Amino acid sequence: MRLFRNPFKTERIPPTTPPDSRVYAIGDVHGRLDLLLDLLARIEADRRSRPCTNERVVFLGDLIDRGPHSCGVLQLLARNQAHLPDPVFLMGNHEEMLLRVLGTDQESIFDWLSFGGYEFAESYGIDVDAFETADAATVARMIRAVVPERDLAFVARFEDSFRFGDYLFVHAGIKPGIALEDQKAADMRWIREAFLDSRVHHPAFVIHGHTISTTPDERDNRIGIDTGAYASGILTAICLEGTERRYITAQRPG
């Protein structure tokens, strides 16, 4: 019996970067300056060993909070952008919260502090014990008095998404079934189960952070690379070039 191939069955074409291009995406740093420095050095060594015409580096958000050196992370990246390969910085939910509680939503500042903000404040040399007897507005003023405006301005310029070839880079994910141009910032910064559980093939293959996994979470429609650096001591980057993908990691005790 002769078997015929079903002409209506199509295989999904692997996602690819634009021709002669490479992108490195870095997962949630969360104040781990030590891991970030190590990972950037590893990426630089990779670049030198494998020259490429067009290179980008994407930071997937949540650079701050929880780990000990939010200040150092922000200032390193803000002041060294010219030494990075065409960098893109994405807004995570922690950056969103920082801007909100120091702006128009000061009443939520204690929620943010318990969410990793204490470590952020301590990294700028602030005595957080003084927060115990202060109200929300006073705490916000204390932090704003110490954190340089240029650091906050740097964070405020972060983007919500970045498209590169067949890939879409966001912090948390996207809402399934919604066109990319109609996605809401709140979903791109905060979404979890509706995105994580979806098996829908999105308009682009999604690279994201936000949700911790012990190793990169590879699915048919997405890859998550938040390996919980602040607690695990493992910071992960993915390198995408053409249809190839590989991982670069920095690891130290948590």
Side-chain angles (χ1 to χ4, degrees), residues 54-70:
N54 177 23
E55 295 178 305
R56 307 294 301 261
V57 60
V58 181
F59 295 84
L60 293 178
D62 282 7
L63 296 175
I64 62 169
D65 297 349
R66 292 186 168 163
H69 299 297
S70 293

mmCIF file of all heavy atoms in Angstrom, residues 54-70:
data_model
loop_
_atom_site.group_PDB
_atom_site.id
_atom_site.type_symbol
_atom_site.label_atom_id
_atom_site.label_comp_id
_atom_site.label_asym_id
_atom_site.label_seq_id
_atom_site.Cartn_x
_atom_site.Cartn_y
_atom_site.Cartn_z
ATOM 1 N N ASN A 54 25.614 41.931 13.002
ATOM 2 C CA ASN A 54 24.565 42.684 13.701
ATOM 3 C C ASN A 54 24.257 42.002 15.027
ATOM 4 O O ASN A 54 23.736 40.889 15.046
ATOM 5 C CB ASN A 54 23.300 42.749 12.830
ATOM 6 C CG ASN A 54 22.151 43.461 13.517
ATOM 7 O OD1 ASN A 54 22.344 44.268 14.420
ATOM 8 N ND2 ASN A 54 20.936 43.149 13.101
ATOM 9 N N GLU A 55 24.582 42.662 16.126
ATOM 10 C CA GLU A 55 24.375 42.075 17.449
ATOM 11 C C GLU A 55 23.518 42.988 18.313
ATOM 12 O O GLU A 55 23.611 44.218 18.234
ATOM 13 C CB GLU A 55 25.713 41.846 18.157
ATOM 14 C CG GLU A 55 26.608 40.829 17.485
ATOM 15 C CD GLU A 55 27.920 40.697 18.219
ATOM 16 O OE1 GLU A 55 28.602 41.722 18.411
ATOM 17 O OE2 GLU A 55 28.280 39.573 18.601
ATOM 18 N N ARG A 56 22.683 42.382 19.140
ATOM 19 C CA ARG A 56 21.876 43.103 20.115
ATOM 20 C C ARG A 56 21.976 42.385 21.457
ATOM 21 O O ARG A 56 22.236 41.182 21.513
ATOM 22 C CB ARG A 56 20.386 43.149 19.701
ATOM 23 C CG ARG A 56 20.085 43.660 18.314
ATOM 24 C CD ARG A 56 20.433 45.128 18.145
ATOM 25 N NE ARG A 56 19.737 46.005 19.047
ATOM 26 C CZ ARG A 56 18.644 46.716 18.721
ATOM 27 N NH1 ARG A 56 18.106 46.582 17.534
ATOM 28 N NH2 ARG A 56 18.100 47.559 19.588
ATOM 29 N N VAL A 57 21.726 43.115 22.531
ATOM 30 C CA VAL A 57 21.566 42.492 23.846
ATOM 31 C C VAL A 57 20.297 43.050 24.462
ATOM 32 O O VAL A 57 20.056 44.264 24.430
ATOM 33 C CB VAL A 57 22.789 42.722 24.758
ATOM 34 C CG1 VAL A 57 23.059 44.189 25.006
ATOM 35 C CG2 VAL A 57 22.625 41.962 26.070
ATOM 36 N N VAL A 58 19.460 42.165 24.964
ATOM 37 C CA VAL A 58 18.167 42.543 25.521
ATOM 38 C C VAL A 58 18.133 42.147 26.991
ATOM 39 O O VAL A 58 18.375 40.980 27.331
ATOM 40 C CB VAL A 58 17.006 41.860 24.776
ATOM 41 C CG1 VAL A 58 15.661 42.289 25.372
ATOM 42 C CG2 VAL A 58 17.056 42.186 23.289
ATOM 43 N N PHE A 59 17.817 43.103 27.850
ATOM 44 C CA PHE A 59 17.617 42.827 29.270
ATOM 45 C C PHE A 59 16.110 42.709 29.495
ATOM 46 O O PHE A 59 15.356 43.647 29.218
ATOM 47 C CB PHE A 59 18.212 43.953 30.113
ATOM 48 C CG PHE A 59 19.710 44.055 29.984
ATOM 49 C CD1 PHE A 59 20.288 44.761 28.934
ATOM 50 C CD2 PHE A 59 20.544 43.419 30.889
ATOM 51 C CE1 PHE A 59 21.666 44.842 28.800
ATOM 52 C CE2 PHE A 59 21.922 43.491 30.770
ATOM 53 C CZ PHE A 59 22.494 44.205 29.717
ATOM 54 N N LEU A 60 15.677 41.561 30.005
ATOM 55 C CA LEU A 60 14.255 41.239 30.049
ATOM 56 C C LEU A 60 13.501 41.842 31.227
ATOM 57 O O LEU A 60 12.345 41.494 31.459
ATOM 58 C CB LEU A 60 14.066 39.717 30.059
ATOM 59 C CG LEU A 60 14.486 38.993 28.776
ATOM 60 C CD1 LEU A 60 14.300 37.487 28.934
ATOM 61 C CD2 LEU A 60 13.696 39.498 27.577
ATOM 62 N N GLY A 61 14.112 42.762 31.954
ATOM 63 C CA GLY A 61 13.408 43.427 33.053
ATOM 64 C C GLY A 61 13.712 42.814 34.401
ATOM 65 O O GLY A 61 14.349 41.771 34.521
ATOM 66 N N ASP A 62 13.217 43.493 35.456
ATOM 67 C CA ASP A 62 13.511 43.109 36.840
ATOM 68 C C ASP A 62 15.013 43.102 37.084
ATOM 69 O O ASP A 62 15.588 42.141 37.594
ATOM 70 C CB ASP A 62 12.881 41.766 37.205
ATOM 71 C CG ASP A 62 11.385 41.869 37.502
ATOM 72 O OD1 ASP A 62 10.818 42.965 37.302
ATOM 73 O OD2 ASP A 62 10.796 40.874 37.923
ATOM 74 N N LEU A 63 15.638 44.205 36.730
ATOM 75 C CA LEU A 63 17.044 44.399 37.067
ATOM 76 C C LEU A 63 17.218 44.619 38.569
ATOM 77 O O LEU A 63 18.294 44.359 39.111
ATOM 78 C CB LEU A 63 17.601 45.620 36.319
ATOM 79 C CG LEU A 63 17.637 45.549 34.791
ATOM 80 C CD1 LEU A 63 18.093 46.881 34.229
ATOM 81 C CD2 LEU A 63 18.552 44.437 34.324
ATOM 82 N N ILE A 64 16.160 45.089 39.214
ATOM 83 C CA ILE A 64 16.258 45.586 40.590
ATOM 84 C C ILE A 64 15.498 44.709 41.584
ATOM 85 O O ILE A 64 14.803 43.776 41.209
ATOM 86 C CB ILE A 64 15.720 47.023 40.663
ATOM 87 C CG1 ILE A 64 14.227 47.054 40.259
ATOM 88 C CG2 ILE A 64 16.534 47.970 39.783
ATOM 89 C CD1 ILE A 64 13.529 48.364 40.540
ATOM 90 N N ASP A 65 15.656 45.084 42.883
ATOM 91 C CA ASP A 65 14.927 44.487 44.015
ATOM 92 C C ASP A 65 15.436 43.082 44.341
ATOM 93 O O ASP A 65 16.044 42.395 43.529
ATOM 94 C CB ASP A 65 13.419 44.447 43.769
ATOM 95 C CG ASP A 65 12.798 45.830 43.619
ATOM 96 O OD1 ASP A 65 13.485 46.820 43.911
ATOM 97 O OD2 ASP A 65 11.630 45.914 43.217
ATOM 98 N N ARG A 66 15.166 42.680 45.561
ATOM 99 C CA ARG A 66 15.434 41.337 46.090
ATOM 100 C C ARG A 66 16.915 41.045 46.297
ATOM 101 O O ARG A 66 17.314 40.629 47.360
ATOM 102 C CB ARG A 66 14.775 40.264 45.216
ATOM 103 C CG ARG A 66 13.264 40.328 45.306
ATOM 104 C CD ARG A 66 12.598 39.192 44.567
ATOM 105 N NE ARG A 66 11.178 39.134 44.924
ATOM 106 C CZ ARG A 66 10.264 38.493 44.248
ATOM 107 N NH1 ARG A 66 10.592 37.823 43.153
ATOM 108 N NH2 ARG A 66 9.006 38.493 44.648
ATOM 109 N N GLY A 67 17.743 41.192 45.305
ATOM 110 C CA GLY A 67 19.173 40.986 45.481
ATOM 111 C C GLY A 67 19.824 42.207 46.116
ATOM 112 O O GLY A 67 19.182 43.251 46.300
ATOM 113 N N PRO A 68 21.132 42.138 46.442
ATOM 114 C CA PRO A 68 21.750 43.178 47.265
ATOM 115 C C PRO A 68 22.227 44.434 46.540
ATOM 116 O O PRO A 68 22.546 45.428 47.197
ATOM 117 C CB PRO A 68 22.954 42.441 47.889
ATOM 118 C CG PRO A 68 23.314 41.405 46.870
ATOM 119 C CD PRO A 68 22.006 40.959 46.265
ATOM 120 N N HIS A 69 22.312 44.428 45.199
ATOM 121 C CA HIS A 69 23.004 45.533 44.539
ATOM 122 C C HIS A 69 22.209 46.148 43.388
ATOM 123 O O HIS A 69 22.728 46.322 42.281
ATOM 124 C CB HIS A 69 24.366 45.067 44.039
ATOM 125 C CG HIS A 69 25.280 44.598 45.126
ATOM 126 N ND1 HIS A 69 25.731 45.427 46.123
ATOM 127 C CD2 HIS A 69 25.794 43.367 45.384
ATOM 128 C CE1 HIS A 69 26.511 44.742 46.949
ATOM 129 N NE2 HIS A 69 26.554 43.493 46.532
ATOM 130 N N SER A 70 20.947 46.532 43.649
ATOM 131 C CA SER A 70 20.144 47.195 42.615
ATOM 132 C C SER A 70 20.830 48.458 42.125
ATOM 133 O O SER A 70 20.868 48.733 40.914
ATOM 134 C CB SER A 70 18.760 47.548 43.166
ATOM 135 O OG SER A 70 18.005 46.397 43.444
#
